[in-house]
Amino acid sequence: MTTDPVLTAIDAAVEALRARPHAHWLLAFSGGKDSTAALKIILAAYRKSGLASLNLTVIYCDTGVENPVLDIYVKSTFLALEAEFAHRGDGFATKILRAPVQDRFFVRIVGRGYPPPTNSFRWCTPSLRIRPVSRFIEAQDPQNTVVVLGLRRSESEQRDRSLAKSGEGLWQKQREGNRDYDLFLPILDLKVSEVWDAIFWLSAPTSIRARPLQELYRDASGECPVIKAPSAPPCASGRFGCWTCTVVRRDKSASKLIDAGYVELRPYFEFRNWLSEIRNDPDMRWPQRRSGSLGMGPFTIEARKAILRRIDELEDATRSEILDAAERGAIASLWRLDEYKRLSFR
Ligand code: SF4
């Protein structure tokens, strides 16, 4: 019996695949190190299992506001993965998920006037990450689906406690809607160094380049979860996340990336800081909530227009598209609805 943790993880995954050879295996991929290691272990296990094919779908949830440097890495990796899977012909597939237009980050802020998220009002995680993935999982047959996550036991004391409580080891249950799905956690017992061992040692998929990923991690760390599993770390605790994130007080990963030479991030970073500053300016918020209760409500229409102007400037400065046509159309419709309301708040 092997004592190498990576080989042990592969053997456990071989057993899991052999136990459920006809299931639809859904692997949630963020581009970060943990989900990358989970994918590599599943592919190594598949090779070792002797199975002739596997119904494996790697899903990636695109929030539309991912850190641009990491976004380029993840999207190019994902495209290469798609081509590699098509070439292999083993039954592997990829799927990019996105929140519906009305739930996207800037449609909520600029269109509906939502204040940027904070720890106590973190509306973004369910809208941008959890729900798109949940909806996709809920559309699958619970009897015949296994969800694979790159969660690890040693990530933090908090996670250790919740994992210890759930007490089910590599196999757990995940509730989506009103149905339970099987959750398989292939890297649960790996330490960070072993995760990197798996990424560097295991060859498949070849489209994942270990060195650039490691270099990105030198300047940024962690990854946001896409599933509300009991053991998942809170979103924004990892920084493979949104460039707009105002949940963290200071975006240390972005500043480290800028210091490391990714100066193209500077305009995004400045915009995010500005958004955080104006959040609690009473002049920019309705004096009433949408529920009618007194207190800081949504951004005023003028504030939303000011934010949109800054987004336009940011698009010019970065030569990138931050809002697409559908999002701009949704914002215009939401403004028309709120134009009627604002008179009553004056
Ligand atoms: S990274 Fe920040 S903004 Fe993005 S979903 Fe997570 S908490 Fe929200």
Side-chain angles (χ1 to χ4, degrees):
M1 200 178 119
T2 178
T3 51
D4 179 89
V6 174
L7 297 180
T8 303
I10 294 171
D11 285 344
V14 169
E15 232 176 84
L17 294 179
R18 284 184 182 150
R20 304 290 300 276
H22 306 298
H24 185 189
W25 290 72
L26 291 181
L27 189 144
F29 182 74
S30 72
K33 69 178 190 319
D34 290 337
S35 53
T36 298
L39 175 59
K40 287 205 159 204
I41 283 172
I42 291 292
L43 292 200
Y46 166 69
R47 188 188 289 178
K48 199 170 172 185
S49 71
L51 294 175
S53 66
L54 184 69
N55 185 6
L56 168 72
T57 305
V58 179
I59 52 178
Y60 170 65
C61 186
D62 179 9
T63 61
V65 282
E66 295 295 316
N67 176 314
V69 168
L70 305 174
D71 194 45
I72 289 171
Y73 164 79
V74 176
K75 294 228 175 95
S76 60
T77 299
F78 213 72
L79 271 179
L81 200 57
E82 196 176 10
E84 184 179 339
F85 284 177
H87 181 71
R88 287 174 65 116
D90 289 307
F92 305 164
T94 55
K95 176 91 186 158
I96 295 184
L97 306 173
R98 271 202 90 173
V101 171
Q102 69 273 14
D103 283 347
R104 304 221 182 125
F105 191 86
F106 282 120
V107 174
R108 291 226 173 185
I109 287 188
V110 184
R112 302 198 65 207
Y114 267 55
T118 55
N119 237 330
S120 55
F121 185 38
R122 199 183 301 178
W123 49 265
C124 48
T125 316
S127 307
L128 299 178
R129 295 186 190 277
I130 309 278
R131 270 203 296 273
V133 174
S134 289
R135 282 195 193 113
F136 186 78
I137 295 174
E138 276 174 55
Q140 317 297 319
D141 171 11
Q143 303 302 323
N144 195 37
T145 302
V146 178
V147 179
V148 182
L149 293 184
L151 289 178
R152 289 184 304 106
R153 208 188 282 284
S154 58
E155 199 71 56
S156 74
E157 274 184 29
Q158 188 193 355
R159 287 173 62 191
D160 280 353
R161 277 199 297 274
S162 55
L163 283 168
K165 244 190 275 166
S166 60
E168 292 170 54
L170 304 189
W171 285 100
Q172 301 199 9
K173 287 284 180 193
Q174 170 70 23
R175 178 146 275 250
E176 296 293 349
N178 54 7
R179 306 192 295 183
D180 283 330
Y181 287 80
D182 288 323
L183 202 59
F184 181 64
L185 310 177
I187 65 160
L188 183 68
D189 293 314
L190 296 192
K191 299 193 197 108
V192 174
S193 59
E194 293 154 0
V195 162
W196 285 113
D197 285 346
I199 293 171
F200 275 91
W201 290 351
L202 303 175
S203 55
T206 52
S207 40
I208 291 187
R209 291 157 299 138
R211 190 69 62 193
L213 178 63
Q214 193 190 38
E215 263 155 33
L216 285 174
Y217 262 96
R218 197 164 294 150
D219 306 307
S221 62
E223 49 199 288
C224 283
V226 288
I227 285 191
K228 209 168 180 296
S231 45
C235 193
S237 67
R239 299 307 306 124
F240 249 67
C242 311
W243 64 266
T244 50
C245 189
T246 48
V247 172
V248 281
R249 221 152 47 90
R250 199 166 160 267
D251 190 343
K252 288 191 201 136
S253 284
S255 6
K256 277 167 92 185
L257 282 165
I258 293 168
D259 290 346
Y262 293 99
V263 288
E264 66 273 28
L265 289 181
R266 201 183 300 280
Y268 294 96
F269 187 62
E270 286 166 358
F271 177 97
R272 175 252 172 229
N273 290 347
W274 174 76
L275 202 57
S276 193
E277 279 163 25
I278 63 165
R279 185 188 193 282
N280 294 324
D281 180 347
D283 292 339
M284 299 188 95
R285 306 272 297 268
W286 282 350
Q288 208 173 328
R289 301 195 179 95
R290 283 190 190 273
S291 63
S293 62
L294 284 181
M296 285 220 281
F299 277 128
T300 62
I301 294 286
E302 288 74 16
R304 292 181 230 174
K305 287 182 177 166
I307 299 169
L308 185 59
R309 279 196 297 277
R310 292 283 293 240
I311 292 174
D312 291 340
E313 286 166 16
L314 186 59
E315 285 192 337
D316 283 346
T318 58
R319 297 201 182 136
S320 62
E321 184 181 76
I322 292 166
L323 284 171
D324 64 23
E327 290 163 344
R328 285 179 184 271
I331 288 169
S333 312
L334 289 163
W335 281 1
R336 275 195 293 279
L337 288 175
D338 273 351
E339 288 281 1
Y340 292 109
K341 284 186 193 150
R342 77 164 165 177
L343 295 173
S344 60
F345 293 130
R346 288 226 160 126

